[in-house]
Amino acid sequence: MGPIITTFERSPDCGKGLARDMPVRWALEEVGRPYTVRYVSFAAMKEKEHLALNPFGQIPTFEEGDLILFESGAIVFHIANGGTILLPDEANARSRAITWIFAALNTIEPPIVHRETISFSGRDVDGYVQWKSVVENIVRRRLSELSGQLGESDWLDGEFSAADLLMVQVLRRLAGSTLLSEYPNLIAYVARGEDRPAFKRAFDAQLADYLGNNSTEAYKKK
Amino acid sequence: MGPIITTFERSPDCGKGLARDMPVRWALEEVGRPYTVRYVSFAAMKEKEHLALNPFGQIPTFEEGDLILFESGAIVFHIANGGTILLPDEANARSRAITWIFAALNTIEPPIVHRETISFSGRDVDGYVQWKSVVENIVRRRLSELSGQLGESDWLDGEFSAADLLMVQVLRRLAGSTLLSEYPNLIAYVARGEDRPAFKRAFDAQLADYLGNNSTEAYKKK
């Protein structure tokens, strides 16, 4: 049985594994925990029942017994913190890995999401090119610093951890842009993450859900 | 003695307590831990010695014995996680408080910082008004959801926790804008945070540091 997570009934990324259920699935696969998925439509995400799970009307949520969590980063941390597979056992190493979780979500991700906000707003808005450039320069600086830190290491700080899982997932948002291609070691880092069996299982599961829920039959049920 | 934290030699906020050493000082005050401050100039932040503490060349950092941490959110979490003053003892309540830490830093803060990025870029860039409006609408939606969640409660989930500390600090970035004034319960929430003795001690300490380091004598030393 295991925990219940929510995800998009129809992921807007069309199964590319960029929605925020992906890191939660990946973390559950890394620690070998089965889980159940409940699909939520865009309309239902903003309704009372789902807002009781996540006041921001987003996916994913995580339910297990009496515990209800939201925020993909918090859920991944919760899964990781329950053991020593995704966070080191030694206290200082564990604190350092947690620092990298926050770095992924509070230093690296925000300008990447700002860039998406600008892209989604469309080229017709005045100053599109300039604003995109302002934000891309911030992304570039962060990637450069991250690239320097990673160097030739496989992972950010010793063994693969929840921090690498989240950082790889954040960097995957840049797939298809040329920003990441300036940093070959970051490309190799993302590829190492995507090459993990747990990543592949999580990716295949969300893709199968996307394809299944978009089949004519699933569509008719609505 | 206690841990050593780094902060701006001259805070660009001129002592308003918006720099990221503030939540770390506040957390240390809440748990009653003395600390030592080391000041870093803008130039020194990008030099090798400081980059060894924080690869992104930012303040604050946290040093205690062999442990070196960066990312204000991670440092606050580390301080909180060492006891039960800033995080509930009961496991589920603790996980929920940690969820709100992530919500503060990964859902509420990013659009607020994006708004600052646009403000700093200046009104001369084409489309300034439109882009600010796009991002302010995102901020407004998040504030509305947060306001709805908080309701008439004093704190986000039961007793004051590290999540409230970080959320109040994030909302303080909106001081001086009209965005927050649309949500009286959020204004009262920020005021409750600022009214805590530990907040006041932390605020006074960073202000004294700012004023002291900006005295003529301190200036001459450079």
Side-chain angles (χ1 to χ4, degrees):
Chain A
M1 180 69 191
I4 300 166
I5 67 169
T6 53
T7 181
F8 290 118
E9 188 174 55
R10 282 210 187 76
S11 180
D13 77 344
C14 304
K16 291 199 188 83
L18 296 174
R20 287 177 191 264
D21 59 306
M22 179 66 202
V24 172
R25 291 175 188 258
W26 185 3
L28 288 165
E29 292 287 352
E30 289 283 354
V31 301
R33 296 195 63 193
Y35 60 95
T36 304
V37 178
R38 193 171 63 236
Y39 307 100
V40 189
S41 70
F42 287 109
M45 281 166 66
K46 306 301 175 189
E47 282 168 16
K48 212 168 174 181
E49 196 184 342
H50 189 74
L51 290 173
L53 305 178
N54 180 343
F56 301 106
Q58 296 181 306
I59 62 94
T61 56
F62 176 100
E63 295 160 76
E64 184 162 42
D66 292 337
L67 181 63
I68 300 170
L69 301 177
F70 59 98
E71 288 283 329
S72 54
I75 299 170
V76 168
F77 174 77
H78 175 77
I79 295 163
N81 201 36
T84 57
I85 295 175
L86 283 176
L87 282 173
D89 196 20
E90 193 271 318
N92 281 5
R94 199 171 179 97
S95 292
R96 285 200 307 274
I98 293 169
T99 281
W100 280 105
I101 287 177
F102 283 88
L105 300 180
N106 204 224
T107 290
I108 303 292
E109 189 186 280
I112 293 175
V113 169
H114 298 170
R115 180 175 172 274
E116 293 170 12
T117 301
I118 292 172
S119 293
F120 292 158
S121 299
R123 292 173 173 278
D124 296 341
V125 185
D126 281 352
Y128 175 88
V129 174
Q130 294 100 308
W131 286 112
K132 199 159 181 185
S133 160
V134 165
V135 174
E136 288 195 340
N137 283 339
I138 300 174
V139 173
R140 228 172 241 118
R141 189 171 79 232
R142 294 299 175 221
L143 293 180
S144 166
E145 291 157 344
L146 182 66
S147 172
Q149 166 69 22
L150 183 65
E152 297 304 311
S153 305
D154 277 358
W155 308 112
L156 286 167
D157 192 349
E159 297 292 303
F160 177 83
S161 79
D164 294 298
L165 187 158
L166 287 164
M167 189 70 87
V168 165
Q169 187 63 18
V170 164
L171 297 179
R172 291 185 67 241
R173 299 182 85 105
L174 292 172
S177 93
T178 57
L179 285 165
L180 209 53
S181 62
E182 297 167 31
Y183 308 98
N185 68 336
L186 295 183
I187 290 181
Y189 174 63
V190 171
R192 267 192 298 282
E194 293 180 336
D195 205 37
R196 294 178 70 84
F199 176 93
K200 289 180 181 171
R201 287 194 297 273
F203 185 89
D204 290 347
Q206 62 82 35
L207 180 59
D209 283 351
Y210 174 76
L211 295 174
N213 287 341
N214 280 274
S215 70
T216 314
E217 197 176 5
Y219 187 79
K220 275 186 189 158
K221 276 195 285 184
K222 269 149 239 166
Chain B
M1 178 69 190
I4 301 165
I5 66 169
T6 54
T7 181
F8 290 118
E9 188 175 56
R10 281 211 188 78
S11 180
D13 76 346
C14 303
K16 291 200 188 84
L18 296 174
R20 288 178 190 264
D21 58 307
M22 178 66 201
V24 171
R25 291 175 188 258
W26 186 2
L28 288 165
E29 292 288 353
E30 290 282 354
V31 301
R33 296 196 62 192
Y35 60 94
T36 304
V37 178
R38 193 170 65 236
Y39 307 101
V40 190
S41 70
F42 288 109
M45 281 166 66
K46 307 300 176 190
E47 281 167 16
K48 211 169 176 180
E49 197 183 341
H50 189 74
L51 290 173
L53 304 179
N54 180 344
F56 302 106
Q58 296 180 306
I59 63 96
T61 56
F62 175 99
E63 295 160 75
E64 185 163 43
D66 292 338
L67 180 65
I68 301 169
L69 300 177
F70 60 97
E71 288 283 330
S72 53
I75 298 170
V76 168
F77 174 76
H78 175 76
I79 295 162
N81 200 37
T84 56
I85 295 175
L86 283 175
L87 282 172
D89 197 20
E90 193 272 317
N92 281 5
R94 199 170 179 97
S95 291
R96 285 199 308 273
I98 293 169
T99 280
W100 279 105
I101 288 178
F102 283 89
L105 300 179
N106 203 224
T107 291
I108 303 291
E109 188 186 279
I112 292 176
V113 169
H114 192 181
R115 178 175 172 274
E116 292 169 12
T117 302
I118 291 172
S119 293
F120 293 158
S121 300
R123 291 173 174 277
D124 296 340
V125 184
D126 282 352
Y128 175 87
V129 174
Q130 294 101 306
W131 286 113
K132 200 160 180 187
S133 161
V134 164
V135 175
E136 287 195 339
N137 283 338
I138 300 174
V139 172
R140 228 171 244 120
R141 189 172 77 231
R142 293 299 175 221
L143 293 180
S144 167
E145 291 158 343
L146 182 66
S147 173
Q149 166 69 19
L150 183 65
E152 296 305 310
S153 305
D154 278 358
W155 308 112
L156 286 167
D157 192 349
E159 297 292 304
F160 177 83
S161 78
D164 294 297
L165 186 158
L166 287 164
M167 190 69 86
V168 165
Q169 187 62 19
V170 164
L171 296 179
R172 290 185 69 241
R173 301 184 84 106
L174 292 172
S177 94
T178 56
L179 284 165
L180 210 53
S181 60
E182 298 167 30
Y183 307 98
N185 69 335
L186 294 184
I187 290 180
Y189 173 65
V190 171
R192 265 192 300 281
E194 292 178 338
D195 206 36
R196 294 179 70 84
F199 175 93
K200 289 179 180 171
R201 288 195 297 274
F203 184 90
D204 291 348
Q206 63 81 35
L207 179 60
D209 283 351
Y210 174 76
L211 295 173
N213 286 341
N214 280 276
S215 71
T216 314
E217 195 177 7
Y219 186 80
K220 275 187 186 155
K221 277 194 287 186
K222 266 146 241 167

